[in-house]
Amino acid sequence: MNPEWRSRLKKDPGIPNLFPYKDKILHQIEEKKRLKEEEVLRRGEETRERAVAKATRHDAANTEDGEYGEDLLDETMEHETPAESSNPLAALLASAEARAVEYEGASEGEGDDAGDHDDDSEGDIDLEASANLSQLHDPSRRAFDNVYKTILSSSDIILYVLDARDPNGTRSREIEREIMAADAGSKRLILILNKIDLVPPPALKSWLSYLRRYYPTLPLRASTPAPNAHTFDHKSLTVKGTSETLLHALKTYAHGKQLKRSTKVGIIGYPNVGKSSVINALTGCLGGGATRSRSTACPVGAEAGITTALREVKIDNKLKLLDSPGIVFPSSLETSTSKKKKDDQARLILLNAITPSQITDPIPAITLLLSRLSTSNASLNNLLSVYGIPPLIPGVNGDVTTDFLVQVARKRGRLGKGGVPNLTAAAMTVITDWRDGRIQGWMDVPGDEEGGMTGDQKEVVSEWAEELRLEGLWGAGGGERGREPEVDEVMDE
C-alpha cells in the first residue's frame, strides 16, 4: 500500500460551531430522521397486517374449498356407475362440471341481490362505511379505527374539534352518542370550535349558543391564519387567551378528580380541523422550563393527513393529551347512490378532509361552494372580488360554474395549449384559496326544526360546566374571565 495515497473524497466538516442557526438545523435533521423512522415502522406494520389478512383469507378459502369438495365428491360417488368409480379421472371431471354450474348460479344470485344489499345497508353506523369517501394519507382504514377505539377507551375527556365555518358538517351525532354511552356515561365531551377567525362575531355567537344546547362548547384560535387570509378580529379571542381558557378548564377537571393517574384528554375530529394545532396551542401556554416549541409538540400542515399515528403529549403530572389522525366519521344519512357519493366527495373537499393529490374531480366542489355563497349577495361579491372578475353569466340549466372557472383560469394563468382554460387547475386554485381562508364563507345556524335541548341534556351541560368551571369562560356565563366580544366589534382585516 502506498503510504502517500490519499482519498479524493473530501470529509464533511459538519456545521461550524459559530454558525448562528446550528441548533435549529440539527433539530430539523433529527426531526426528519424521526419522521422517517416512524414512516418505516408504519409501513412495516401495514405490511404485517396485509400478510396476516391474506393468510387468514387463504386459510378460510382452503377450508371452504376442502369441505365443499368433499361434499360434492360424496354426492357424485353416490350417483356414479361402477365404471365411473373405477375411473378417478371421470369422477374428477364430473366434480369440476358440477362446481362450475354452481358458481355460475351464485354469480347470478349476487347480481340480483346487489340492490337489496345496498338498501339494507342504509343507516348502519359503521366506521368502514365512510372509508370510500375519506381518502386519507394512511390507506389502512383498520389502523384508523383502532386509533379511534384507543382514544375512546383510554380518555377521560374527549375534545371534539369542529371547523367554525361548518360545525355541523364536521360533527357526527352517532359518535357523540357513542362517547356518551362509553363506560356507563363517565366520559366528558367538550366541543371545540376552531378557526373562529374565519367567521364574523355574529355567526360565532349564534353557533356557540346553538352548540351549547347539546354539550359544553368553547371557541378557540389554535393557530395564526395563512398569508393573505381574510379574517375577522374577535378582539379578546386571541390564540393565547382561548388556549389558556381551555387549558384552565382541563386542569380544573384533572385536579378535581384526584385520580392516582394522569387525566387523559383525547382529541378527535375530521382531517385538517386543527387537532394538532390545538395541542400545540395548549403546550404553548406552559410557562417556565416546561415551555416547548410549537414545532416539536405535534407536526402540522395545511393539508390533511399530516398526523398518521396516535401521539401522546404530557402537559404535567395530572394531564396528558392524545392526538389522533383525522377520521371522516359515519353518517346515518349515507346512501350508496353514485350521486350521493359525488356530493359527499364535494362536501369533504370543502371541509379540507381530502388532500389535493387525492382529489380526482374538483369541479363538483366548486359547484357546491358557489351554491352556498350564492345565498348571500355579499358573500358572492366577496368571492368575485378575490379574483377580480365580473358578475357570472349563467349557462345551460343556470350553471355558473363553467363561466366562473374560465374567468379564474384566465386571471390566474391556468391555461393549456392554445390558451384553452384548464378548468381542473382553476378549480384546484379556488379550493386552495378556500382552504387557506382567502375566500370568506360560512354555514348559518340551522333552524329549530332539528329539535331543542331536552331536560337530560340541560342537566348534562350544566353538570359538566360546573365540573370544568366553565361559568364565565368566553360567554358561557357571567364573569370577568374571557369577555365575549360584542357584535359591533367586528372588523374585517
Side-chain angles (χ1 to χ4, degrees):
M1 179 176 179
N2 186 1
E4 297 181 357
W5 178 86
R6 292 182 181 180
S7 175
R8 295 183 180 179
L9 298 177
K10 294 183 179 181
K11 184 179 180 181
D12 184 9
I15 303 174
N17 292 330
L18 298 179
F19 189 69
Y21 303 104
K22 179 177 180 179
D23 294 339
K24 185 177 180 180
I25 293 176
L26 291 177
H27 174 71
Q28 292 176 353
I29 294 174
E30 291 296 328
E31 184 69 14
K32 289 181 180 179
K33 187 183 298 183
R34 183 184 61 81
L35 294 176
K36 186 176 181 180
E37 291 176 354
E38 290 183 357
E39 181 71 12
V40 171
L41 292 176
R42 182 181 64 81
R43 290 183 178 178
E45 185 66 24
E46 292 176 7
T47 303
R48 284 191 293 272
E49 289 181 359
R50 286 195 295 267
V52 171
K54 184 177 180 180
T56 304
R57 290 194 301 267
H58 181 70
D59 294 342
N62 289 342
T63 303
E64 293 176 359
D65 291 345
E67 295 175 354
Y68 180 82
E70 291 175 1
D71 296 339
L72 192 60
L73 186 59
D74 292 340
E75 293 177 2
T76 305
M77 292 181 66
E78 289 177 0
H79 300 285
E80 65 185 2
T81 62
E84 291 176 340
S85 61
S86 61
N87 189 353
L89 184 60
L92 181 61
L93 180 60
S95 174
E97 291 177 351
R99 292 184 62 181
V101 171
E102 180 143 348
Y103 175 80
E104 292 176 357
S107 300
E108 294 176 358
E110 289 178 1
D112 296 335
D113 297 336
D116 298 338
H117 177 73
D118 291 341
D119 295 337
D120 294 340
S121 62
E122 290 187 17
D124 290 344
I125 303 172
D126 186 2
L127 290 177
E128 294 183 357
S130 58
N132 295 331
L133 299 175
S134 59
Q135 300 181 22
L136 302 175
H137 183 73
D138 188 349
S140 176
R141 183 67 190 179
R142 183 184 301 175
F144 280 101
D145 294 343
N146 292 337
V147 167
Y148 167 70
K149 293 175 182 178
T150 303
I151 287 280
L152 181 60
S153 61
S154 60
S155 301
D156 303 293
I157 304 175
I158 302 292
L159 299 184
Y160 199 162
V161 184
L162 309 176
D163 192 328
R165 292 180 293 180
D166 189 6
N168 271 353
T170 49
R171 281 182 73 190
S172 172
R173 304 295 179 87
E174 289 80 1
I175 294 298
E176 293 173 3
R177 287 192 288 267
E178 189 173 328
I179 295 173
M180 293 288 291
D183 289 348
S186 62
K187 307 289 184 181
R188 296 294 178 263
L189 175 63
I190 303 177
L191 302 182
I192 303 298
L193 209 56
N194 194 22
K195 303 182 181 180
I196 59 174
D197 54 324
L198 299 180
V199 297
L204 176 61
K205 294 178 68 175
S206 299
W207 274 111
L208 287 175
S209 300
Y210 173 79
L211 293 174
R212 283 171 181 160
R213 299 177 185 178
Y214 304 95
Y215 303 100
T217 307
L218 288 177
L220 183 68
R221 286 187 64 181
S223 60
T224 56
N228 300 324
H230 296 281
T231 59
F232 295 89
D233 187 2
H234 291 272
K235 300 298 182 182
S236 58
L237 294 180
T238 60
V239 175
K240 183 175 182 295
T242 54
S243 303
E244 290 179 347
T245 299
L246 177 58
L247 185 61
H248 173 267
L250 297 178
K251 284 189 172 183
T252 300
Y253 180 86
H255 288 282
K257 284 299 181 180
Q258 296 296 328
L259 299 176
K260 295 183 180 180
R261 56 172 176 82
S262 299
T263 299
K264 292 189 177 182
V265 180
I267 302 178
I268 64 173
Y270 270 62
N272 207 30
V273 293
K275 299 181 296 299
S276 299
S277 297
V278 170
I279 293 181
N280 292 339
L282 293 176
T283 56
C285 297
L286 302 177
T291 303
R292 65 193 71 184
S293 173
R294 289 179 182 268
S295 62
T296 59
C298 292
V300 296
E303 296 183 1
I306 299 298
T307 303
T308 58
L310 189 64
R311 185 187 301 269
E312 183 177 287
V313 178
K314 182 179 179 181
I315 297 294
D316 55 27
N317 292 332
K318 289 289 186 179
L319 191 62
K320 290 183 179 179
L321 306 179
L322 299 177
D323 191 14
S324 64
I327 301 176
V328 178
F329 295 109
S331 171
S332 59
L333 300 179
E334 288 180 358
T335 60
S336 58
T337 61
S338 58
K339 184 179 184 303
K340 180 63 177 177
K341 289 183 178 180
K342 191 175 183 179
D343 294 342
D344 286 340
Q345 186 85 356
R347 181 181 64 86
L348 292 175
I349 292 175
L350 293 185
L351 292 176
N352 309 317
I354 303 177
T355 58
S357 60
Q358 295 173 331
I359 297 176
T360 56
D361 185 10
I363 296 180
I366 305 303
T367 303
L368 179 59
L369 178 62
L370 290 175
S371 65
R372 291 181 177 180
L373 298 181
S374 298
T375 57
S376 171
N377 290 330
S379 299
L380 185 59
N381 292 333
N382 287 335
L383 172 64
L384 300 181
S385 65
V386 170
Y387 300 101
I389 58 179
L392 304 177
I393 300 177
V396 181
N397 299 326
D399 176 42
V400 295
T401 305
T402 302
D403 181 47
F404 172 70
L405 292 178
V406 167
Q407 296 192 55
V408 170
R410 290 172 177 170
K411 284 287 184 178
R412 294 295 178 89
R414 302 298 188 264
L415 305 175
K417 292 183 178 180
V420 178
N422 188 334
L423 301 187
T424 301
M428 293 301 300
T429 299
V430 176
I431 290 172
T432 302
D433 293 337
W434 167 259
R435 179 196 67 193
D436 295 339
R438 300 185 186 95
I439 299 175
Q440 291 182 347
W442 54 87
M443 299 296 291
D444 294 328
V445 176
D448 296 333
E449 63 272 7
E450 292 195 5
M453 182 166 58
T454 63
D456 294 338
Q457 288 174 325
K458 290 181 180 179
E459 294 180 1
V460 166
V461 173
S462 60
E463 179 184 350
W464 291 3
E466 184 177 355
E467 291 179 350
L468 297 164
R469 302 284 179 87
L470 294 180
E471 293 82 358
L473 299 183
W474 305 123
E480 297 180 356
R481 184 180 179 89
R483 179 182 65 85
E484 189 173 9
E486 300 294 335
V487 174
D488 56 359
E489 290 179 349
V490 61
M491 180 178 68
D492 190 2
E493 292 182 348

